[in-house]
Each structure stands twice: as C-alpha cells, then as structure tokens.
Amino acid sequence: MFVKKIRLKNYRIYDELELSFDRGINILSGDNAQGKTNLLEAVYYCCAGRSHRTTKDKECIYLGREEALVKILYETASGKEEQIEIHLKQNGKKSLAINGYPARRINDLFGRFHVVLFSPEDLSLIKRGPAERRKFIDMEICQVDPVYVYDLQQYYKVLRQRNQLLKDSSKNREFATFWEKIRFVRETLFAWDAQLVHYGVRVMRRRAAFVEKLMEYTAHIHETISHGTEKMLLQYENAVPMDEAQFQEILEKDLEQDLRYGTTSSGPQHDDLVILINGTDVRKFGSQGQQRTAALSLKLSELQMMKEEIGEAPVLLLDDVMSELDESRQKQLAEYVRENQTILTCTGVEDSIRSLPVGAHFHVRAGVITEVENE
Ligand SMILES: Nc1ncnc2c1ncn2[C@@H]1O[C@H](COP(=O)(O)OP(=O)(O)OP(=O)(O)O)[C@@H](O)[C@H]1O
Ligand SMILES: [Mg+2]
C-alpha cells in the first residue's frame, strides 16, 4: 500500500498543498514548527478518521478559516487506486467521501487505508498510564476489525449514559434516603447494564485475542532487538472477568460506591497491558533503555502483524523517532523502513537517515514544501 498524492487546503499550517510521494522512503526535513508533523497527521487522518494529536477536529483547520480539506490518493498492492477525502468544518460535522462517493459514517473508513505511526510519545508507551496502552490496542484492532469498532463505540456510549445517570442521581436531593436512591438507580440501570455487560465482554475478548496474537510477533522481534538477551511477554490485564454474569455481579456490588462517586468504577475502561521482560514488569522495574526497546518491539510487532492481517505492507509514518534511538536500535528500525513506503520527519538529516535508500527528500518551511534535488 502506498500514498501517491496528498492534497491539503487550510489544514493546520498548510494553506494549499499538493504533493506526490515516492513509493519508497520519503524524508520531510525542516526546522521546528514548520509543518512536518502536521503533514503526517493529515495522512494519519485518512486512515483513522481523526487526528492522533487531538480529539478536537477544529484545531486542524487553519486558524480563522471556515473549512479544511484533506484528500489522499493511494494504491493498494493489487494496483487498485483509491481516494479518501475529508472535509472539516468550523460550524458543522466533518464529512467524508470514499472514491468520490459520500460516506455516511467515519467508520466506513476503517479497513481501507492502513498506516502505522511511530512518534516520540510512543517511546514512552510503556511508562505512561494504562490509557495510552489501551489506545494502542484499540487503534490497532479498529484498523482491521469493523465489528470491534462498533462494539467499542456501543460500550462507551452506554458507559457515558450510565455515568451521567449516576452523576445526576448522586446530586439529586429528592430522595428521602440513600437506599431509596439506590433502589431507583438500580431499576433504571437494569436495561443499560445488560448492554454494558454484553458489549464490555465482547470488547475484552477481542482485546485478549489481539494481545495473544501480538505476543507471537513481539517475542521474536524483541529477542532479535535485544540480541537474544531478553525475553518479552505480554499479558492482557482485564479489569473485570470476561464473563457477562460475573461482570454484572461486580456492577451490582459496586453500585453503592459508583453512586457516591458518580461514575462506573469497574469495566474494560480500566484494562491494561502488562509487559514482562525476563519475568519482571517493565512498566515498574524496567530501565529507560529497556522501556524504549520494549516500546520499539511493540510498534514493530504492530507493523508486522498488520502486514499479515491485511496482506500487504501498511504505510509507515515515523515522526522524528530516529534521533531518539541509539545506533543499534536505529539499525533495527531501518530494516523495517526499507520494506514499507515510509514518510519520515527529521530536523536534520543525520547519518542514520542518509544511509537509507531515500526515494524523495522534501524540505518543509512554514507550510511550504520544496523537493530537495540529489544532494
Ligand atoms: N490550526 C492551525 N492553523 C495554523 N497554524 C497551525 C495550526 N495548528 C498548528 N499550526 C502551526 O503549525 C506549526 C507546528 O507544526 P508541526 O507540529 O507540524 O511542526 P514540526 O515541523 O513537526 O516541528 P517539530 O520539529 O518541532 O516537531 C506551529 O507553528 C503551529 O503554530
Ligand atoms: Mg513535529
């Protein structure tokens, strides 16, 4: 899979941009704050239907403008050309067209255009909170499994409604006693909890299967990266049992506490991923270097796994990660860079990048891109 062309209008720092990419390695170099990450973000947008940096679509519209456009033309391994077009509006919902036809839901995007994005924040995937690791798991499954997208959305929709009811009820003073309040809430939650438990268990089972599969790749990749000195194991840490009846029981047991705090305290919204290196939890006990190596292994496993699942190489987006890695890890990453169409950003073109078979080199300056001819 490779991106042939991108067109931007009023997207972040870009007023107007039309750029053709090479099928191999593309370098975007330039000083800080010139628009390198903005361009990767736009490519990512066409894969995920949202930014990886913000949940607020409007931030992606050029300041003071009404609308933004991102249009991407890509080719699949079988040689088929496809096109994705996204319109963001200051006053209104974003809209989407696939191959020229309007699509109703953003979910229609999933499973079409595949990218793996690797940014400096990913290097701290291990040491950051569970939310980051859940996001990592969810984004990966969403790219290959539309059923999961639906289940996850339904779960969070019901969870939000449940939390709203808990919050409203916790403030409500109309009840004579707390027990009366609990009885009311229990009756109201009855139907919602059935849905919460249903979608929650589906989400957990899919996450568990994903982690198990991912580990097959991670074990091998990590062993290579650490030159055979470390064994990496992954464990999916589900916050509640993957069983509807048992999850329901926990919700009932927690009800009093949930009502006091006005939020649901148990469920897959608290899941985590445990990473063990030679038997110890690297989140808590790993050195900085071990944590980085583990993060790199996870990302490379993601890349490899996606390649096998979709049957072709996804587009690799590397946002300034080379300079963050030491020489031996840079070399490991470079192996993968050669196998995928890669768009790589950097402030300076260092030796590690110069040694790659670069297909095209672009210079980015204040939202204007110029091709750098053979250096
Ligand atoms: N909605 C927007 N409208 C106009 N300009 C924007 C908007 N959002 C961000 N910018 C500008 O884009 C620039 C940041 O671009 P970007 O994050 O792509 O930089 P970069 O080249 O990746 O830099 P670095 O090397 O520091 O990572 C900033 O100057 C910021 O002011
Ligand atoms: Mg950047």
Side-chain angles (χ1 to χ4, degrees), residues 32-33 35-38 53 319-320 345:
N32 295 130
K36 303 182 299 293
T37 302
N38 290 172
R53 291 177 119 184
D319 195 7
D320 227 349
T345 74

Side-chain angles (χ1 to χ4, degrees), residues 97-291:
I98 300 170
N99 297 328
Y101 294 99
R104 229 165 28 89
R105 302 164 314 151
I106 235 44
N107 292 4
D108 293 337
L109 263 188
F110 289 111
R112 292 189 163 271
F113 172 58
H114 299 276
V115 308
V116 170
L117 170 80
F118 195 0
S119 65
E121 294 91 74
D122 291 319
L123 285 171
S124 48
L125 185 67
I126 314 288
K127 70 174 174 214
R128 296 172 92 183
E132 297 299 319
R133 288 181 291 276
R134 276 197 303 277
K135 198 167 108 193
F136 166 76
I137 295 177
D138 287 343
M139 268 320 295
E140 287 328 300
I141 313 176
C142 284
Q143 280 205 48
V144 294
D145 186 351
V147 177
Y148 183 73
V149 179
Y150 179 77
D151 288 340
L152 192 67
Q153 281 176 340
Q154 290 303 108
Y155 180 78
Y156 277 100
K157 191 169 138 196
V158 181
L159 182 66
R160 274 196 302 276
Q161 287 169 334
R162 187 182 201 269
N163 285 343
Q164 193 60 50
L165 180 82
L166 289 168
K167 208 178 198 172
D168 293 345
S169 309
S170 69
K171 289 188 204 139
N172 193 333
R173 296 181 188 281
E174 283 168 21
F175 298 98
T177 64
F178 186 68
W179 301 112
E180 212 174 282
K181 195 188 269 189
I182 285 204
R183 191 166 352 107
F184 165 79
V185 173
R186 182 171 282 130
E187 279 164 16
T188 321
L189 283 183
F190 184 72
W192 282 351
D193 281 0
Q195 285 193 53
L196 193 78
V197 160
H198 171 75
Y199 290 112
V201 168
R202 289 177 64 86
V203 164
M204 288 187 280
R205 290 202 174 132
R206 185 66 183 87
R207 283 177 177 173
F210 169 80
V211 172
E212 192 146 313
K213 186 93 197 287
L214 185 70
M215 193 164 71
E216 291 172 19
Y217 295 85
T218 318
H220 173 70
I221 288 177
H222 193 80
E223 200 163 348
T224 316
I225 292 189
S226 67
H227 306 291
T229 59
E230 290 178 353
K231 280 222 174 317
M232 180 164 162
L233 288 179
L234 303 178
Q235 277 170 5
Y236 169 56
E237 198 173 65
N238 41 313
V240 294
M242 286 183 264
D243 174 88
E244 292 197 16
Q246 289 181 47
F247 186 5
Q248 178 73 50
E249 230 172 78
I250 290 174
L251 288 175
E252 274 163 30
K253 190 165 67 58
D254 286 349
L255 186 60
E256 196 183 321
Q257 173 191 331
D258 287 0
L259 192 50
R260 285 190 203 281
Y261 292 113
T263 187
T264 307
S265 50
S266 303
Q269 69 276 19
H270 297 294
D271 284 353
D272 201 352
L273 177 66
V274 182
I275 299 137
L276 300 168
I277 288 189
N278 294 343
T280 46
D281 187 342
V282 71
R283 291 178 311 186
K284 296 182 188 132
F285 305 109
S287 71
Q288 289 263 20
Q290 271 179 326
Q291 291 181 342

Side-chain angles (χ1 to χ4, degrees), residues 2-28:
F2 75 95
V3 187
K4 294 180 96 169
K5 238 188 221 171
I6 189 163
R7 193 175 152 223
L8 302 179
K9 196 168 174 356
N10 296 334
Y11 189 88
R12 294 271 195 194
I13 203 171
Y14 294 95
D15 183 32
E16 287 266 3
L17 174 76
E18 226 178 294
L19 189 67
S20 298
F21 289 105
D22 186 83
R23 284 171 175 255
I25 299 172
N26 297 268
I27 310 271
L28 299 171

